[in-house]
Amino acid sequence: MGKLSTKLKQLCGDTAVYGIGTILIKALGFVSLPILTRVFTPEDYGNLELYSILAGAVATLINCSLDSAQSYYHYKAEKEGGDAVAELVSAIIQLRLIAGGGAILFALPLLWLWGNAIFAAEVDMVYVLFCLCTTFFDQLANVFLSTMRLQRKTLHFTLFTFLSTSLSLSLTLLFVLGSGYGIGGVLLASLCTSSVMLVMLGVKWRQYLCFRSTVHLWKSLLVFALPLVPTGFAMWILTWADRWFLARYWGLGEVGLYAVGAKVAAIATVAIGTFRTAWWPIAMKVMGTEEAPGLYRFIARAYMALGAIGVIWFAALSRYFLPFVTTEAYADAWVTIAPLTGSAVFYGFYLIASLGTWQAKKAYHTTYALVVAASMNIFLNWYFIPKYGLHAAAISTAFSQMVACGYLLFVSESVSPVSHSIGRLAATVLVATSGSVTIVMMKGELLVSVGVAGIVTIYSVYEIYSAWVREHERTSKFI
């Protein structure tokens, strides 16, 4: 149990550093919500969200899953020593420069000709250019940020991310409130921030830049990354398809409500994103060791139980919290918050469910899982959104994410079993879902909501305790 405890302490330590920084970062970002919802109508917010859809697509093209390749090859480069890490970082930057230029050259004429038809709304090409350049610069900067994370330079990572958010918020307020640029001010602020951060990161971590050819690394990076590109696009569909269908069938106003619901649900991503950032380097480092199965089993049950607590309390309190951060025009967004929080929880669970496929060198199953989930999401959105709007969009996305997690967990147990308690995980999901549905059916009545949330919380705390005791008993048999 000692090794398991050591890894858990390391995970908790990294999570605490990332967590404090992420809380501050998300708090700064959340400050803009009560301001912008008083400046922008739901239609304006929906229009802004369409440019986020575009940014997500272009980011997927530029990334080409090279972030996964960087994670995979980083530790090998560290062991080689010398300039190996610098060559790896430089190779990825060179590939992203090529991919970024190609993506922009492809997207500009496409959107100029058919942008209005694609998005079912008027597209401003100046805003499109802002969006494309911002995404390009962000993808280059992310190479340096990923290097910090993989080297466990948690403080540096947190400081740069906090600085980026602070600058973006300040410029947004300046351009929107001070200069009256509207949604163009938000996009311009993002462009300025990404430009400044790329320069700062490039100067600070210039030791990881090799001003020589790294073509000899391109093949291995692309062989690893390109099969995962469909995964990136499937993830983009899971994230953004619901907005497109809402815009098509219900208009930009509904997209704006949905975007605000997603913004509130993003509070949960403080914990989830922090966990993902801290967990992956540790999970990869212990992979194949004797303590890995116990650590993986415990983290799976504990994570899902904590996720259930988050989902149920968002469901219980969102109706009463939303009026404090938005206006009456956005009140109906509360019904989307719990399922969108659940969707974020399932997204975080990917890094647990897929570990077996990584260990067996069958990570392509992640692509299969996400392609199936994305296809299901498109069908569910197409079938249900025209009839039910916001409710259908949020639930369809969460259900599709859950299917992907179930598939990955099943395959991982098949190719590299660690004996996950799949029945207990499913029970936790069922308890949280039942509680959330009950709250929505009761229209968020406060006493009922708090009572239901309390019951789910007690169950989830017991589940964490039970998981810890179970792993202790299993470990004790071999001591």
Side-chain angles (χ1 to χ4, degrees):
M1 201 67 182
K3 290 184 178 180
L4 176 60
S5 298
T6 300
K7 293 300 178 185
L8 286 173
K9 288 177 181 177
Q10 182 180 339
L11 176 60
C12 290
D14 286 356
T15 300
V17 176
Y18 285 126
I20 293 171
T22 306
I23 289 171
L24 293 173
I25 290 163
K26 291 293 183 181
L28 278 177
F30 197 72
V31 166
S32 65
L33 183 62
I35 298 172
L36 295 182
T37 52
R38 285 163 173 78
V39 176
F40 296 151
T41 65
E43 288 75 15
D44 292 331
Y45 229 105
N47 196 11
L48 186 61
E49 198 74 353
L50 292 184
Y51 292 101
S52 297
I53 297 175
L54 171 62
V58 174
T60 304
L61 279 172
I62 298 173
N63 184 12
C64 287
S65 294
L66 288 168
D67 55 344
S68 297
Q70 184 177 5
S71 296
Y72 184 81
Y73 285 107
H74 177 83
Y75 295 110
K76 291 183 178 180
E78 276 192 339
K79 290 178 182 178
E80 290 178 16
D83 292 332
V85 173
E87 288 186 349
L88 175 64
V89 170
S90 298
I92 292 174
I93 289 175
Q94 290 166 12
L95 289 171
R96 285 196 177 176
L97 285 169
I98 296 171
I104 292 173
L105 290 175
F106 170 77
L108 278 175
L110 177 68
L111 293 170
W112 182 67
L113 292 172
W114 297 297
N116 292 354
I118 292 172
F119 290 106
E122 186 175 350
V123 175
D124 188 312
M125 289 307 297
V126 174
Y127 294 171
V128 166
L129 187 59
F130 285 175
C131 188
L132 293 176
C133 292
T134 298
T135 306
F136 184 32
F137 296 154
D138 281 342
Q139 287 299 309
L140 293 174
N142 283 343
V143 179
F144 296 106
L145 291 173
S146 294
T147 303
M148 291 184 213
R149 176 178 57 82
L150 291 167
Q151 293 187 335
R152 296 187 61 221
K153 296 183 183 296
T154 53
L155 185 59
H156 288 91
F157 180 91
T158 302
L159 286 175
F160 272 99
T161 311
F162 179 77
L163 178 59
S164 175
T165 305
S166 303
L167 180 59
S168 180
L169 175 61
S170 301
L171 292 176
T172 297
L173 297 179
L174 174 63
F175 294 150
V176 173
L177 298 181
S179 302
Y181 290 163
I183 65 171
V186 178
L187 298 173
L188 180 59
S190 297
L191 175 59
C192 293
T193 300
S194 63
S195 304
V196 171
M197 294 309 301
L198 177 59
V199 172
M200 290 181 63
L201 286 165
V203 171
K204 174 64 177 177
W205 300 101
R206 58 189 178 277
Q207 70 267 31
Y208 293 120
L209 294 175
C210 289
F211 296 99
R212 59 178 180 270
S213 174
T214 57
V215 175
H216 62 286
L217 296 176
W218 289 11
K219 181 179 179 179
S220 57
L221 289 171
L222 292 174
V223 166
F224 184 94
L226 289 181
L228 297 176
V229 170
T231 305
F233 279 106
M235 199 69 239
W236 173 71
I237 290 172
L238 282 169
T239 304
W240 297 109
D242 42 18
R243 275 84 159 173
W244 187 88
F245 280 99
L246 280 172
R248 177 71 58 176
Y249 291 106
W250 289 82
L252 291 177
E254 290 294 289
V255 178
L257 295 179
Y258 195 79
V260 168
K263 188 86 169 180
V264 175
I267 297 173
T269 63
V270 173
I272 294 167
T274 297
F275 166 79
R276 285 173 60 88
T277 303
W279 166 245
W280 192 243
I282 293 173
M284 294 296 286
K285 203 163 189 176
V286 303
M287 184 174 286
T289 63
E290 62 179 10
E291 71 264 30
L295 180 64
Y296 294 171
R297 287 191 299 265
F298 173 75
I299 291 297
R301 289 177 64 182
Y303 174 90
M304 196 58 75
L306 290 171
I309 293 173
V311 168
I312 200 64
W313 282 105
F314 270 98
L317 301 178
S318 57
R319 182 181 176 187
Y320 304 94
F321 170 72
L322 204 58
F324 290 100
V325 294
T326 64
T327 64
E328 182 64 27
Y330 295 89
D332 290 341
W334 80 274
V335 298
T336 68
I337 294 173
L340 287 174
T341 304
S343 181
V345 171
F346 288 129
Y347 174 67
F349 195 73
Y350 286 170
L351 293 190
I352 301 171
S354 64
L355 283 168
T357 64
W358 282 79
Q359 183 169 344
K361 296 184 179 180
K362 295 183 177 181
Y364 55 81
H365 279 288
T366 301
T367 299
Y368 296 165
L370 290 176
V371 168
V372 170
S375 302
M376 177 181 294
N377 192 36
I378 290 174
F379 172 77
L380 292 174
N381 284 327
W382 169 78
Y383 188 81
F384 288 109
I385 284 179
K387 301 177 183 178
Y388 304 108
L390 289 173
H391 296 76
I395 293 171
S396 296
T397 300
F399 183 79
S400 301
Q401 296 272 26
M402 183 184 71
V403 168
C405 284
Y407 174 87
L408 286 171
L409 197 60
F410 175 78
V411 173
S412 288
E413 283 294 281
S414 300
V415 299
S416 185
V418 298
S419 301
H420 279 295
S421 301
I422 295 177
R424 301 299 292 265
L425 292 170
T428 301
V429 173
L430 181 61
V431 167
T433 302
S434 300
S436 299
V437 170
T438 301
I439 289 171
V440 173
M441 289 179 65
M442 296 301 294
K443 300 188 184 302
E445 200 281 322
L446 186 59
L447 289 179
V448 173
S449 299
V450 172
V452 171
I455 293 171
V456 174
T457 300
I458 292 170
Y459 173 86
S460 299
V461 170
Y462 172 76
E463 177 66 9
I464 296 172
Y465 171 76
S466 174
W468 177 257
V469 171
R470 178 62 172 158
E471 291 311 317
H472 180 72
E473 290 175 351
R474 280 179 167 177
T475 307
S476 297
K477 292 179 182 179
F478 301 99
I479 296 178

mmCIF file of all heavy atoms in Angstrom, residues 395-412:
data_model
loop_
_atom_site.group_PDB
_atom_site.id
_atom_site.type_symbol
_atom_site.label_atom_id
_atom_site.label_comp_id
_atom_site.label_asym_id
_atom_site.label_seq_id
_atom_site.Cartn_x
_atom_site.Cartn_y
_atom_site.Cartn_z
ATOM 1 N N ILE A 395 -28.397 16.616 -22.923
ATOM 2 C CA ILE A 395 -28.475 15.195 -22.580
ATOM 3 C C ILE A 395 -27.821 14.341 -23.662
ATOM 4 O O ILE A 395 -27.123 13.358 -23.353
ATOM 5 C CB ILE A 395 -29.937 14.781 -22.360
ATOM 6 C CG1 ILE A 395 -30.486 15.479 -21.116
ATOM 7 C CG2 ILE A 395 -30.064 13.267 -22.210
ATOM 8 C CD1 ILE A 395 -31.977 15.317 -20.920
ATOM 9 N N SER A 396 -27.994 14.690 -24.919
ATOM 10 C CA SER A 396 -27.390 13.922 -26.011
ATOM 11 C C SER A 396 -25.875 13.918 -25.908
ATOM 12 O O SER A 396 -25.221 12.884 -26.107
ATOM 13 C CB SER A 396 -27.818 14.501 -27.362
ATOM 14 O OG SER A 396 -29.207 14.385 -27.552
ATOM 15 N N THR A 397 -25.310 15.069 -25.596
ATOM 16 C CA THR A 397 -23.856 15.162 -25.477
ATOM 17 C C THR A 397 -23.339 14.330 -24.307
ATOM 18 O O THR A 397 -22.356 13.587 -24.436
ATOM 19 C CB THR A 397 -23.431 16.632 -25.310
ATOM 20 O OG1 THR A 397 -23.856 17.373 -26.456
ATOM 21 C CG2 THR A 397 -21.921 16.747 -25.169
ATOM 22 N N ALA A 398 -24.004 14.421 -23.160
ATOM 23 C CA ALA A 398 -23.573 13.653 -21.989
ATOM 24 C C ALA A 398 -23.692 12.151 -22.240
ATOM 25 O O ALA A 398 -22.789 11.376 -21.898
ATOM 26 C CB ALA A 398 -24.408 14.055 -20.774
ATOM 27 N N PHE A 399 -24.788 11.730 -22.855
ATOM 28 C CA PHE A 399 -24.986 10.306 -23.127
ATOM 29 C C PHE A 399 -23.922 9.780 -24.084
ATOM 30 O O PHE A 399 -23.377 8.682 -23.894
ATOM 31 C CB PHE A 399 -26.386 10.082 -23.704
ATOM 32 C CG PHE A 399 -26.702 8.634 -23.949
ATOM 33 C CD1 PHE A 399 -27.079 7.807 -22.905
ATOM 34 C CD2 PHE A 399 -26.618 8.102 -25.230
ATOM 35 C CE1 PHE A 399 -27.361 6.459 -23.132
ATOM 36 C CE2 PHE A 399 -26.898 6.762 -25.466
ATOM 37 C CZ PHE A 399 -27.279 5.938 -24.410
ATOM 38 N N SER A 400 -23.606 10.548 -25.102
ATOM 39 C CA SER A 400 -22.592 10.119 -26.072
ATOM 40 C C SER A 400 -21.220 9.994 -25.423
ATOM 41 O O SER A 400 -20.469 9.047 -25.708
ATOM 42 C CB SER A 400 -22.543 11.110 -27.242
ATOM 43 O OG SER A 400 -23.794 11.195 -27.890
ATOM 44 N N GLN A 401 -20.885 10.937 -24.551
ATOM 45 C CA GLN A 401 -19.608 10.856 -23.829
ATOM 46 C C GLN A 401 -19.571 9.613 -22.938
ATOM 47 O O GLN A 401 -18.538 8.941 -22.824
ATOM 48 C CB GLN A 401 -19.417 12.111 -22.971
ATOM 49 C CG GLN A 401 -19.301 13.409 -23.741
ATOM 50 C CD GLN A 401 -17.874 13.731 -24.152
ATOM 51 O OE1 GLN A 401 -17.049 12.850 -24.307
ATOM 52 N NE2 GLN A 401 -17.586 15.006 -24.330
ATOM 53 N N MET A 402 -20.691 9.297 -22.312
ATOM 54 C CA MET A 402 -20.759 8.117 -21.455
ATOM 55 C C MET A 402 -20.531 6.837 -22.261
ATOM 56 O O MET A 402 -19.829 5.923 -21.811
ATOM 57 C CB MET A 402 -22.108 8.060 -20.752
ATOM 58 C CG MET A 402 -22.247 6.889 -19.786
ATOM 59 S SD MET A 402 -23.900 6.768 -19.059
ATOM 60 C CE MET A 402 -24.844 6.231 -20.501
ATOM 61 N N VAL A 403 -21.108 6.757 -23.454
ATOM 62 C CA VAL A 403 -20.924 5.588 -24.313
ATOM 63 C C VAL A 403 -19.449 5.407 -24.659
ATOM 64 O O VAL A 403 -18.922 4.284 -24.632
ATOM 65 C CB VAL A 403 -21.783 5.721 -25.584
ATOM 66 C CG1 VAL A 403 -21.392 4.669 -26.621
ATOM 67 C CG2 VAL A 403 -23.262 5.591 -25.241
ATOM 68 N N ALA A 404 -18.774 6.512 -24.974
ATOM 69 C CA ALA A 404 -17.345 6.434 -25.300
ATOM 70 C C ALA A 404 -16.541 5.907 -24.115
ATOM 71 O O ALA A 404 -15.654 5.061 -24.278
ATOM 72 C CB ALA A 404 -16.830 7.808 -25.721
ATOM 73 N N CYS A 405 -16.855 6.390 -22.919
ATOM 74 C CA CYS A 405 -16.153 5.911 -21.716
ATOM 75 C C CYS A 405 -16.400 4.425 -21.492
ATOM 76 O O CYS A 405 -15.481 3.662 -21.153
ATOM 77 C CB CYS A 405 -16.623 6.696 -20.490
ATOM 78 S SG CYS A 405 -15.950 8.349 -20.363
ATOM 79 N N GLY A 406 -17.659 3.994 -21.657
ATOM 80 C CA GLY A 406 -17.978 2.579 -21.476
ATOM 81 C C GLY A 406 -17.223 1.695 -22.445
ATOM 82 O O GLY A 406 -16.703 0.635 -22.063
ATOM 83 N N TYR A 407 -17.148 2.123 -23.691
ATOM 84 C CA TYR A 407 -16.416 1.346 -24.693
ATOM 85 C C TYR A 407 -14.934 1.238 -24.325
ATOM 86 O O TYR A 407 -14.339 0.151 -24.366
ATOM 87 C CB TYR A 407 -16.578 1.995 -26.063
ATOM 88 C CG TYR A 407 -15.739 1.355 -27.151
ATOM 89 C CD1 TYR A 407 -16.213 0.272 -27.874
ATOM 90 C CD2 TYR A 407 -14.459 1.838 -27.440
ATOM 91 C CE1 TYR A 407 -15.444 -0.318 -28.869
ATOM 92 C CE2 TYR A 407 -13.680 1.250 -28.421
ATOM 93 C CZ TYR A 407 -14.178 0.175 -29.131
ATOM 94 O OH TYR A 407 -13.392 -0.406 -30.101
ATOM 95 N N LEU A 408 -14.319 2.368 -23.971
ATOM 96 C CA LEU A 408 -12.893 2.363 -23.642
ATOM 97 C C LEU A 408 -12.600 1.501 -22.418
ATOM 98 O O LEU A 408 -11.599 0.786 -22.372
ATOM 99 C CB LEU A 408 -12.406 3.797 -23.400
ATOM 100 C CG LEU A 408 -12.259 4.662 -24.648
ATOM 101 C CD1 LEU A 408 -11.985 6.108 -24.259
ATOM 102 C CD2 LEU A 408 -11.140 4.137 -25.539
ATOM 103 N N LEU A 409 -13.473 1.566 -21.437
ATOM 104 C CA LEU A 409 -13.272 0.767 -20.229
ATOM 105 C C LEU A 409 -13.369 -0.720 -20.551
ATOM 106 O O LEU A 409 -12.567 -1.530 -20.071
ATOM 107 C CB LEU A 409 -14.306 1.157 -19.171
ATOM 108 C CG LEU A 409 -14.020 0.741 -17.723
ATOM 109 C CD1 LEU A 409 -12.722 1.365 -17.236
ATOM 110 C CD2 LEU A 409 -15.180 1.149 -16.828
ATOM 111 N N PHE A 410 -14.345 -1.086 -21.368
ATOM 112 C CA PHE A 410 -14.520 -2.490 -21.746
ATOM 113 C C PHE A 410 -13.303 -3.002 -22.515
ATOM 114 O O PHE A 410 -12.780 -4.090 -22.238
ATOM 115 C CB PHE A 410 -15.780 -2.640 -22.591
ATOM 116 C CG PHE A 410 -15.981 -4.028 -23.141
ATOM 117 C CD1 PHE A 410 -16.481 -5.044 -22.334
ATOM 118 C CD2 PHE A 410 -15.667 -4.314 -24.463
ATOM 119 C CE1 PHE A 410 -16.659 -6.332 -22.839
ATOM 120 C CE2 PHE A 410 -15.844 -5.596 -24.972
ATOM 121 C CZ PHE A 410 -16.338 -6.604 -24.159
ATOM 122 N N VAL A 411 -12.833 -2.213 -23.487
ATOM 123 C CA VAL A 411 -11.681 -2.639 -24.286
ATOM 124 C C VAL A 411 -10.425 -2.704 -23.423
ATOM 125 O O VAL A 411 -9.628 -3.644 -23.538
ATOM 126 C CB VAL A 411 -11.484 -1.694 -25.480
ATOM 127 C CG1 VAL A 411 -10.186 -2.025 -26.213
ATOM 128 C CG2 VAL A 411 -12.658 -1.790 -26.436
ATOM 129 N N SER A 412 -10.228 -1.726 -22.554
ATOM 130 C CA SER A 412 -9.047 -1.731 -21.681
ATOM 131 C C SER A 412 -9.018 -2.977 -20.809
ATOM 132 O O SER A 412 -7.960 -3.600 -20.613
ATOM 133 C CB SER A 412 -9.047 -0.478 -20.793
ATOM 134 O OG SER A 412 -8.752 0.677 -21.541
#
